């Protein structure tokens, strides 16, 4: 399978090429173009299976490329890259059959999920029942455009599109969206193939929620480890209690037979053309219940939320866990807070956010107290990724806390080891600075390579070895200048300087004046202009 990436920003093209595991998607050839005209030439010559194309490009934009593809009757799936300001173009692209789109900026996971869905669509088209599959794909594409706001709530425009996509349906049809979210990680760890597990959840969910429609009006999306399915039910005959009962049956069956307990959200009835509004409400509930599994929630049955109670983390316990290298204590403590937050369903999400924020602040203060730059913690890409995911689920939060602990304790340990070495270095310098010493002598004394010692010393102290040696020498030079009549040249040579000129330069840099002027000021004598 071939893919063509088109964008006038070279960095974006290179990033997309590098971050996606194309081999796992059965994509063997990645083609690149940097404007619409070049893209058309490559498409005609190479006939790629997928075109991933930016909308806003000079000369020939992405929509024009898509129109050209359709006019030439070239068979390929088209995905476009867009910014929110491009939604007018997006309407055009949907009309010409773009299968999906990615909004810039996007995460690598979103790119991979999008490409996986497109590849799946291509394979489905190549299998039997092509007409049925194509109709289903067109419907799914249409649902995406509805919930992402491509048409807004424009009743007339939605009605016109529905005539070709799903004839016989009406934008005014009473519709209820029911959503299931399931964490696939446990199932995968127990031997399920993710694609098979997702398919099984879809099948069970649709079958148990309704007896009279197929999955034509089913929309899927991936959010990290979660697979989320939205089922659009055109129905004004049944009460919310009817769907709650069915959802509880589905919850029990999926939990018993498919390893993992899902979260099911039942939306309110609204005309189909207002589906974006209802979709948004459901996603707010998914965020609110980000840590909950094994629950059925109906939006119209929700009671008024109580006020969020304030609380504070145990700072001393967290600090002691780090400094005493007691990982289990920290994990158990945060785990108990998470369990407590989950029991407060109405506030589980904000409570988790507070735990995340307060924990990080306490740890950063602890690191700063130990003279460690807080930013060093996030130099690890793994920590950044886990930090971004930490509020998705209890598993993600515990993984984040564990990795954060490991990162901090390694930094603290290195700091402790480095401090010991630096103390030895300083001791050696104080004993030998009157001699002709350099970094090679010092490195040999503390059993390090000269380059490593230089970097380590500067990283810990903020100054170079030579600066520190000179500081020691100048400190003694000032004492001698103030307390003795020893000549400046004798002082310079006694303290290891090769010549008086270099001594005077270093002295003036440290003290602001030359050694003679400094001596005169220290002893109360007038300072001449040529001594400054």
């Amino acid at each position: 399978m071939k893919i063509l990436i088109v964008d006038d920003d070279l960095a974006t093209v290179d990033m997309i090429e590098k971050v996606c595991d194309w081999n796992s998607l059965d994509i063997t050839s990645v083609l690149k173009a940097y404007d619409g005209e070049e893209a058309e030439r490559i498409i005609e010559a190479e006939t790629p299976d997928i075109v991933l194309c930016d909308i806003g490009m000079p000369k020939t934009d992405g929509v024009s490329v898509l129109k050209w593809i359709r006019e030439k009757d070239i068979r390929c799936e088209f995905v476009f890259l867009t910014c929110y300001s491009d939604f007018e173009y997006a309407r055009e692209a949907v009309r010409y059959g773009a299968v999906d789109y990615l909004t810039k900026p996007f995460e690598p996971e979103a790119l991979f999920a999008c490409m996986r869905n497109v590849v799946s669509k291509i394979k489905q088209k190549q299998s039997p029942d092509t007409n049925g599959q194509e109709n289903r794909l067109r419907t799914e594409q249409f649902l995406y455009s509805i919930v992402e706001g491509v048409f807004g709530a424009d009743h007339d425009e939605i009605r016109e599109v529905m005539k070709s996509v799903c004839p016989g349906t009406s934008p005014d049809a009473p519709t209820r969206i029911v959503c299931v979210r399931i964490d696939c990680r446990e199932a995968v760890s127990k031997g399920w193939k993710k694609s098979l597990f997702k398919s099984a959840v879809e099948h069970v969910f649709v079958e148990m929620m309704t007896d009279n429609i197929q999955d034509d009006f089913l929309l899927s999306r991936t959010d990290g480890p979660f697979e989320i399915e939205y089922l659009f039910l055109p129905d004004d005959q049944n009460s919310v209690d009817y769907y709650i009962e069915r959802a509880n049956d589905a919850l029990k069956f999926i939990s018993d037979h498919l390893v993992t307990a899902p979260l099911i959200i039942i939306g309110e009835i609204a005309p189909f053309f207002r589906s974006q509004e209802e979709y948004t409400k459901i996603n707010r509930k998914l965020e609110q219940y980000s840590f909950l599994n094994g629950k059925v929630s109906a939006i119209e049955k929700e009671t008024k939320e109580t006020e969020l109670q304030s609380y504070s983390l145990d700072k001393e316990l967290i600090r002691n866990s780090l400094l005493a290298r007691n990982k289990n204590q920290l994990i158990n403590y945060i785990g108990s807070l998470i369990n407590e937050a989950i029991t407060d369903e109405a506030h589980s999400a904000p409570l988790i956010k507070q735990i995340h924020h307060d924990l990080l602040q306490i740890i950063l203060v602890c690191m700063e107290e130990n003279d460690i730059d807080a930013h060093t913690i996030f130099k690890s890409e793994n920590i950044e990724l886990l930090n971004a995911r930490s509020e998705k689920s209890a598993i993600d939060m515990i993984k984040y806390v564990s990795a954060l602990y490991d990162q901090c304790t390694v930094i603290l340990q290195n700091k402790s080891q480095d401090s010991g070495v630096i103390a030895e270095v300083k001791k050696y310098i104080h004993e030998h600075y009157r001699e002709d010493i350099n970094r090679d002598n010092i490195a040999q004394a503390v059993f390090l390579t000269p380059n490593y010692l230089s970097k380590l010393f500067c990283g810990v102290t903020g100054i170079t070895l030579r600066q520190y040696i000179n500081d020691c020498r100048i400190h003694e030079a000032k004492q001698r200048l103030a307390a003795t009549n020893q000549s400046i040249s004798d002082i310079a040579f006694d303290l290891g300087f090769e010549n008086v000129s270099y001594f005077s330069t270093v002295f003036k840099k440290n003290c602001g004046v030359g050694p003679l002027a400094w001596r005169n000021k220290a002893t109360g004598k007038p300072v001449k202009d040529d001594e400054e």
Side-chain angles (χ1 to χ4, degrees):
M1 216 176 291
K2 299 178 187 177
I3 183 170
L4 171 63
I5 305 168
V6 190
D7 199 307
D8 58 330
D9 181 15
L10 277 66
T12 298
V13 174
D14 289 341
M15 181 275 291
I16 292 172
E17 181 187 18
K18 290 174 182 175
V19 300
C20 200
D21 183 1
W22 302 110
N23 287 334
S24 68
L25 296 170
D26 294 329
I27 293 175
T28 56
S29 178
V30 179
L31 309 170
K32 295 181 285 186
Y34 302 101
D35 60 64
E37 292 177 356
E38 183 184 11
E40 290 176 1
R41 289 195 296 272
I42 293 174
I43 292 168
E44 199 157 40
E46 298 287 344
T47 60
D49 303 277
I50 304 168
V51 176
L52 177 59
C53 184
D54 187 26
I55 284 185
M57 296 185 295
K59 297 181 182 178
T60 304
D61 61 31
V63 174
S64 298
V65 173
L66 178 55
K67 289 179 181 178
W68 177 84
I69 287 172
R70 296 304 178 232
E71 288 165 1
K72 291 281 188 178
D73 198 24
I74 296 171
R75 299 290 180 178
C76 69
E77 298 297 342
F78 194 94
V79 178
F80 57 89
L81 304 171
T82 180
C83 301
Y84 286 112
S85 59
D86 290 330
F87 267 142
E88 286 305 313
Y89 291 103
R91 291 171 184 261
E92 287 274 320
V94 168
R95 290 185 188 280
Y96 281 89
V99 70
D100 205 348
Y101 67 87
L102 287 166
T103 302
K104 295 180 181 179
F106 53 85
E107 297 294 329
E109 289 180 350
L111 169 67
F112 185 82
C114 175
M115 292 296 100
R116 184 185 61 192
N117 290 337
V118 174
V119 169
S120 175
K121 289 173 172 59
I122 292 171
K123 290 180 178 179
Q124 287 174 352
K125 285 184 177 182
Q126 294 169 349
S127 66
D129 188 27
T130 300
N131 289 335
Q133 294 287 359
E134 285 188 354
N135 290 337
R136 189 171 293 117
L137 292 174
R138 290 180 66 204
T139 302
E140 186 177 21
Q141 174 196 333
F142 172 62
L143 291 176
Y144 269 117
S145 66
I146 291 290
V147 299
E148 293 294 340
V150 172
F151 303 110
D154 190 325
H155 179 280
D156 293 338
E157 187 167 7
I158 291 173
R159 182 185 59 204
E160 289 303 310
V161 177
M162 291 179 78
K163 286 179 181 178
S164 60
V165 175
C166 40
T169 58
S170 166
D172 298 306
T175 303
R176 188 190 297 274
I177 304 175
V178 183
C179 165
V180 61
R181 185 198 69 190
I182 194 159
D183 190 334
C184 298
R185 284 175 291 192
E186 187 175 357
V188 171
S189 71
K190 293 186 177 179
W192 278 87
K193 252 182 120 176
K194 190 172 180 181
S195 58
L196 181 61
F197 180 71
K198 179 178 181 295
S199 178
V201 170
E202 285 181 4
H203 180 76
V204 170
F205 180 55
V206 171
E207 185 174 325
M208 297 196 71
M209 287 308 302
T210 179
D211 297 323
N212 52 26
I213 74 165
Q214 298 177 339
D215 63 351
D216 292 348
F217 276 74
L218 185 71
L219 191 60
S220 302
R221 74 178 175 94
T222 300
D223 182 14
F226 297 108
E227 290 294 338
I228 307 173
E229 313 290 339
Y230 303 85
L231 184 59
F232 292 71
L233 300 167
D235 184 12
D236 61 351
Q237 302 297 316
N238 299 305
S239 68
V240 66
D241 291 326
Y242 167 84
Y243 289 109
I244 291 173
E245 182 179 352
R246 280 187 169 267
N248 278 312
D249 289 342
L251 171 63
K252 185 175 186 311
F253 187 92
I254 293 171
S255 301
D256 290 345
H257 299 283
L258 299 180
V259 181
T260 305
L263 169 67
I264 300 177
I265 308 289
I266 301 169
E268 298 178 282
I269 290 178
F272 177 78
F273 75 92
R274 283 177 41 203
S275 290
Q276 183 195 14
E277 180 183 335
E278 300 306 311
Y279 176 81
T280 302
K281 288 181 186 176
I282 286 176
N283 285 336
R284 286 201 196 105
K285 284 298 172 187
L286 288 175
E287 184 177 352
Q288 179 183 339
Y289 294 148
S290 58
F291 272 61
L292 298 183
N293 292 314
K295 175 181 175 62
V296 172
S297 173
I299 290 177
E300 63 191 81
K301 291 275 190 178
E302 293 284 328
T303 56
K304 185 178 179 180
E305 292 184 4
T306 56
E307 186 177 349
L308 176 65
Q309 300 299 312
S310 62
Y311 77 103
S312 60
L313 270 63
D314 189 332
K315 296 179 182 178
E316 285 305 307
L317 185 148
I318 293 170
R319 288 181 74 260
N320 290 339
S321 297
L322 281 177
L323 299 177
R325 308 294 193 268
N326 193 338
K327 186 174 184 177
N328 286 338
Q329 182 182 49
L330 180 62
I331 296 293
N332 291 337
Y333 175 60
I334 298 300
S336 67
L337 293 178
I338 291 170
N339 288 333
E340 186 178 337
I342 289 174
T343 60
D344 186 357
E345 295 182 356
H347 300 120
S348 60
L351 284 172
I352 295 303
K353 287 181 185 295
Q354 282 191 34
I355 292 170
H356 179 200
H357 176 269
D358 293 354
L359 171 67
L360 184 56
Q361 290 305 308
I362 292 169
I363 287 178
L364 292 180
V365 169
C366 177
M367 300 299 278
E368 288 173 357
E369 289 173 349
N370 286 273
D371 297 322
I372 294 170
D373 182 358
H375 292 94
T376 60
I377 298 172
F378 290 96
K379 286 183 179 178
S380 163
E381 291 183 4
N382 184 49
I383 290 291
E384 285 194 354
L385 180 61
L386 292 172
N387 180 50
R389 290 179 175 173
S390 60
E391 295 174 13
K392 295 287 186 184
S393 71
I395 294 172
D396 289 305
M397 178 63 88
I398 293 301
K399 280 185 176 180
Y400 166 66
V401 174
S402 176
L404 187 62
Y405 170 91
D406 291 342
Q407 178 83 342
C408 290
T409 52
V410 166
I411 293 172
L412 286 167
Q413 184 175 353
N414 290 341
K415 169 77 173 177
S416 175
Q417 291 172 346
D418 292 347
S419 298
V421 171
I422 297 306
E424 289 184 42
V425 170
K426 288 181 177 179
K427 182 173 181 291
Y428 180 88
I429 291 173
H430 279 281
E431 292 173 352
H432 298 276
Y433 67 81
R434 299 176 189 86
E435 305 166 18
D436 182 18
I437 60 171
N438 54 42
R439 70 171 189 169
D440 293 343
N441 309 133
I442 303 168
Q444 186 175 7
V446 295
F447 308 103
L448 295 175
T449 65
N451 283 339
Y452 179 74
L453 173 61
S454 294
K455 290 179 182 177
L456 176 62
F457 190 88
C458 190
V460 173
T461 66
I463 62 174
T464 65
L465 283 165
R466 178 53 56 190
Q467 285 176 287
Y468 190 79
I469 293 169
N470 284 340
D471 285 349
C472 292
R473 289 170 172 172
I474 297 302
H475 177 73
E476 184 172 342
K478 289 192 293 185
Q479 292 178 328
R480 292 193 187 192
L481 287 167
T484 73
N485 292 322
Q486 190 177 12
S487 70
I488 290 174
S489 59
D490 286 345
I491 292 173
F493 291 124
D494 282 353
L495 296 179
F497 287 99
E498 295 179 358
N499 56 68
V500 177
S501 175
Y502 179 56
F503 167 66
S504 297
T505 300
V506 173
F507 193 99
K508 188 169 185 178
K509 184 177 180 182
N510 277 37
C511 304
V513 295
L516 181 57
W518 195 93
R519 168 176 267 176
N520 288 338
K521 284 183 179 179
T523 57
K525 295 179 181 179
V527 179
K528 298 177 181 179
D529 291 342
D530 59 354
E531 293 176 347
E532 291 290 344

